[in-house]
Amino acid sequence: MQTALDILGGKWTFLIVYSLLDGKKRFKELERAVTGINTRMLVKELKSLEAHKILTREAFATVPPTVEYTLTQKGKDLQATMQSLHQWTIDWGEDTDTDKV
C-alpha cells in the first residue's frame, strides 16, 4: 500500500489522471481541468507521473511548443480504482452519520 501512496499520494494526482481518462490532453487543457492547481505544481506532478510511467509526454516542434499527455496502460488501469473511490465519496465523503459503521 505504501508504494501506491508514494506514487499516487499527491494532492493533484488523481485529478490529473481522472482528466486524462477521456484521452490525451494538452498542458493548458489539463491546467483548466484541474481547478486550483498552479502551473508550477502541475509541471511537478506531470513529471512525477511520467517518471512512474503513469503517463507519457509527447512534445511537438511547433511555435509555441505543443505538449500532449496520455495515460499509459499502467495509468489506464487506475480507472476501476478511481471509479471505486468516486463511489466511496458518494456514499461516505460528505457523510457525518456514523450509523453506517
Side-chain angles (χ1 to χ4, degrees), residues 4-94:
L5 290 173
D6 289 344
I7 295 170
L8 304 170
K11 176 179 179 179
W12 305 102
T13 303
F14 275 100
L15 294 173
I16 293 167
V17 172
Y18 182 78
S19 178
L20 288 169
L21 286 173
D22 294 335
K24 65 182 160 186
K25 289 203 173 30
R26 293 183 177 181
F27 183 85
K28 284 295 184 183
E29 290 175 304
L30 282 170
E31 201 169 33
R32 283 189 297 269
V34 182
T35 307
I37 194 168
N38 64 45
T39 302
R40 194 173 119 233
M41 184 55 70
L42 180 57
V43 169
K44 180 182 175 215
E45 292 289 332
L46 290 169
K47 284 182 180 181
S48 175
L49 290 168
E50 185 180 10
H52 287 100
K53 297 181 175 34
I54 303 294
L55 57 78
T56 58
R57 177 186 185 272
E58 186 175 5
F60 300 93
T62 59
V63 178
T66 303
V67 179
E68 291 181 341
Y69 295 91
T70 308
L71 290 177
T72 61
Q73 188 57 52
K74 185 177 179 180
K76 290 175 185 175
D77 283 351
L78 289 167
Q79 184 167 6
T81 301
M82 296 185 83
Q83 287 172 333
S84 294
L85 282 171
H86 178 70
Q87 187 59 51
W88 180 87
T89 303
I90 291 168
D91 294 344
W92 295 96
E94 296 295 323

